[in-house]
Amino acid sequence: MKVLVDLCIVPIGVGVSLSPYIAACEKVLIDAGLKTALHSYGTDIEGEWDAVFAAVKRCHEVVHEMGVPRITTTIKLGTRTDRDQTMEDKVKSVREKM
Amino acid sequence: MKVLVDLCIVPIGVGVSLSPYIAACEKVLIDAGLKTALHSYGTDIEGEWDAVFAAVKRCHEVVHEMGVPRITTTIKLGTRTDRDQTMEDKVKSVREKM
Amino acid sequence: MKVLVDLCIVPIGVGVSLSPYIAACEKVLIDAGLKTALHSYGTDIEGEWDAVFAAVKRCHEVVHEMGVPRITTTIKLGTRTDRDQTMEDKVKSVREKM
Amino acid sequence: MKVLVDLCIVPIGVGVSLSPYIAACEKVLIDAGLKTALHSYGTDIEGEWDAVFAAVKRCHEVVHEMGVPRITTTIKLGTRTDRDQTMEDKVKSVREKM
C-alpha cells in the first residue's frame, strides 16, 4: 500500500531552534530511500507504507538520541485504491485548474 | 517506545456519512488490544509504537476493503523519554491547574 | 457558520511541562462561552466560526504573554451545510454502529 | 501577530477528485494578497493572523458554495515572538544543517 505523508516533527524541551533536529530527520528519510520534499511546515514523503512508517519511527528514535526528552508530531497521510498518484500529480492537478 | 496518538481517519468518495467506517476502525483498535478513547474529532490511543501503527495500517486496509477508494488521515503523536505518561495523566495534569 | 474544532496548542522553548499553558487556554475558551471537551491530545470545541477563532487567537496571545517565545498548533476543523451536528452527535453516531 | 500556516482543506461528499476545490481555495488565498506555497499535502501561508484566518473562513464558504456539503480541514500554525521568520527562512535553516 503506497502512502503520501506530510510529516511535521516538533522537539519539545530543547529551546526554540528546531532545525538541527529536522535536518537529522531529513537525513533519516533520505537514507531510507524515500522520495521527499521539504516545505515550510513539514516534509512531504512518498513511499510504501511500511518503509515510510519505519522511517518516521527512526526519526523519533534519532531525535530522542540527540537529547530531546519529548516530541510531538503531526502527520497527514493519504492512501487510495482507485489510481496511482504521485506527489507531483497532486500539485499539477491543482495548478491546471487555477 | 510508547506512543500517545490522536487518530482521525476520513474516508473520501463515499458520501457524508462516515460513522460506519469510524466504527470499523474502533473495532480494529480494540481487537488490537489498544487502550483507546473516542472523542468528537478522533480517537486517542495509547500503546507501543509498533502495535499502534500496525493497527493504524489495518484501519486503512479495512476501510478500503469496505469500498472506500480514498482516505486522508490526520495523526498527532507524542513520545517522551523523561517519564511515563498515560492519556489520563495528561488530562488530569491540565485539570489540576485550572 | 458553525464549526467543530480539535485544538492542540504546543508551547516551544519553555521545557517539557506544558499543562500550565494548556490550562490557561482552557480558561480562555470557557471565558469565551464556548462548548469544550478536553481530551488527551487536544480540546474539542463547538461554536460559531468567528467566536471559535477569536478564542484560538486569544489563546496564542495569552500563551505568549506567559513568556512562551514560540507556539506550534494543530487544528482539525469541520463545517457542514447538510445538517446540524453536535460534538455529542458525532460520538453517539459511531458508538451506535459498534 | 504574524502567523505561518499549513492549510489542508478536504471536501467530503463530492467524490474523490478534490483539485477543483483546492484550486478555488488557492484563488481565495491569492486574492487575499497572502504569500502562499502549494505543496503536495496542503498550502503554506504567511501573513497577519486576521488576514490569514479571514481567508481560511472564505475558503470554507467558497467550497460550500460550490456544492460541497461537508468539509474537514487540518491546519498547522506557528507564531513566535522571539524573532521574525519567513517561510523561506525555515526551509533554508534546515537545508544549511543537512
Side-chain angles (χ1 to χ4, degrees):
Chain A
M1 185 162 52
K2 204 180 128 184
V3 65
L4 292 188
V5 164
D6 177 23
L7 174 69
C8 178
I9 289 181
V10 181
I12 298 173
V14 287
V16 294
S17 296
L18 308 182
S19 55
Y21 308 100
I22 307 307
C25 292
E26 290 300 299
K27 194 175 176 312
V28 167
L29 298 171
I30 290 164
D31 287 353
L34 296 166
K35 192 166 125 189
T36 67
L38 179 66
H39 65 91
S40 303
Y41 223 125
T43 302
D44 292 325
I45 310 168
E46 183 181 328
E48 283 299 313
W49 183 291
D50 291 345
V52 170
F53 281 96
V56 171
K57 184 186 180 187
R58 186 72 197 123
C59 287
H60 269 246
E61 289 170 344
V62 164
V63 172
H64 280 310
E65 285 163 12
M66 291 170 81
V68 175
R70 187 174 184 180
I71 305 171
T72 189
T73 289
T74 300
I75 296 175
K76 291 176 286 192
L77 67 127
T79 57
R80 57 194 308 175
T81 54
D82 55 337
R83 65 186 185 92
D84 201 40
Q85 187 184 42
T86 65
M87 296 200 296
E88 295 80 11
D89 290 339
K90 286 185 76 181
V91 170
K92 197 177 158 219
S93 181
V94 173
R95 288 242 165 86
E96 285 170 354
K97 288 166 188 79
M98 286 172 68
Chain B
M1 185 162 51
K2 203 181 130 184
V3 65
L4 292 189
V5 164
D6 177 23
L7 173 70
C8 178
I9 289 180
V10 180
I12 298 173
V14 286
V16 294
S17 295
L18 309 181
S19 55
Y21 308 100
I22 307 308
C25 291
E26 289 301 298
K27 194 175 176 313
V28 167
L29 299 170
I30 291 164
D31 287 353
L34 296 166
K35 192 167 128 188
T36 66
L38 178 66
H39 65 91
S40 303
Y41 223 126
T43 302
D44 293 326
I45 310 169
E46 184 181 329
E48 284 299 313
W49 184 291
D50 291 345
V52 170
F53 281 96
V56 171
K57 184 185 180 187
R58 186 74 197 122
C59 287
H60 270 245
E61 290 170 342
V62 163
V63 171
H64 281 309
E65 286 162 12
M66 290 170 81
V68 176
R70 187 174 184 180
I71 305 171
T72 189
T73 289
T74 300
I75 296 176
K76 293 176 287 192
L77 66 128
T79 57
R80 58 194 306 175
T81 54
D82 56 337
R83 66 186 185 89
D84 200 42
Q85 188 184 43
T86 64
M87 298 200 296
E88 295 78 14
D89 290 338
K90 286 184 77 180
V91 170
K92 197 177 158 219
S93 181
V94 173
R95 289 243 164 84
E96 284 170 357
K97 288 165 188 81
M98 287 172 69
Chain C
M1 184 163 51
K2 205 181 129 182
V3 64
L4 292 190
V5 165
D6 178 23
L7 174 70
C8 178
I9 289 180
V10 180
I12 299 172
V14 287
V16 293
S17 295
L18 308 181
S19 55
Y21 307 100
I22 307 308
C25 291
E26 289 300 299
K27 194 175 176 312
V28 167
L29 298 171
I30 290 163
D31 287 354
L34 295 166
K35 193 167 125 186
T36 67
L38 180 66
H39 65 93
S40 302
Y41 223 125
T43 303
D44 292 326
I45 310 169
E46 183 181 329
E48 284 298 314
W49 184 291
D50 291 345
V52 170
F53 280 97
V56 171
K57 184 186 180 186
R58 186 74 197 123
C59 287
H60 269 246
E61 290 170 343
V62 163
V63 171
H64 280 310
E65 285 162 12
M66 291 170 80
V68 176
R70 186 174 185 181
I71 305 170
T72 190
T73 289
T74 299
I75 296 176
K76 291 176 287 191
L77 66 128
T79 56
R80 57 194 306 174
T81 54
D82 55 336
R83 65 185 186 91
D84 201 40
Q85 187 185 44
T86 65
M87 298 200 296
E88 295 80 12
D89 289 339
K90 286 185 77 180
V91 170
K92 198 178 159 218
S93 181
V94 173
R95 289 242 165 84
E96 285 170 355
K97 288 164 189 80
M98 288 172 69
Chain D
M1 184 163 53
K2 203 180 130 183
V3 65
L4 291 190
V5 164
D6 177 23
L7 174 69
C8 178
I9 289 181
V10 180
I12 298 171
V14 286
V16 293
S17 296
L18 308 181
S19 55
Y21 308 101
I22 308 308
C25 291
E26 289 301 298
K27 194 175 177 311
V28 167
L29 299 171
I30 290 164
D31 287 353
L34 296 167
K35 192 166 126 190
T36 66
L38 179 66
H39 65 91
S40 303
Y41 224 125
T43 302
D44 292 326
I45 310 169
E46 182 180 329
E48 284 298 314
W49 183 291
D50 290 346
V52 170
F53 281 96
V56 172
K57 184 186 180 187
R58 187 72 197 123
C59 288
H60 269 245
E61 290 170 343
V62 163
V63 172
H64 280 309
E65 286 162 12
M66 290 171 80
V68 176
R70 187 174 183 181
I71 305 170
T72 188
T73 289
T74 300
I75 296 175
K76 293 177 285 191
L77 65 129
T79 57
R80 56 194 308 175
T81 54
D82 56 337
R83 65 186 186 90
D84 200 41
Q85 189 184 42
T86 65
M87 296 199 297
E88 295 80 13
D89 290 340
K90 287 184 78 180
V91 171
K92 196 177 159 221
S93 182
V94 173
R95 289 241 166 87
E96 284 170 355
K97 287 166 190 80
M98 285 172 71

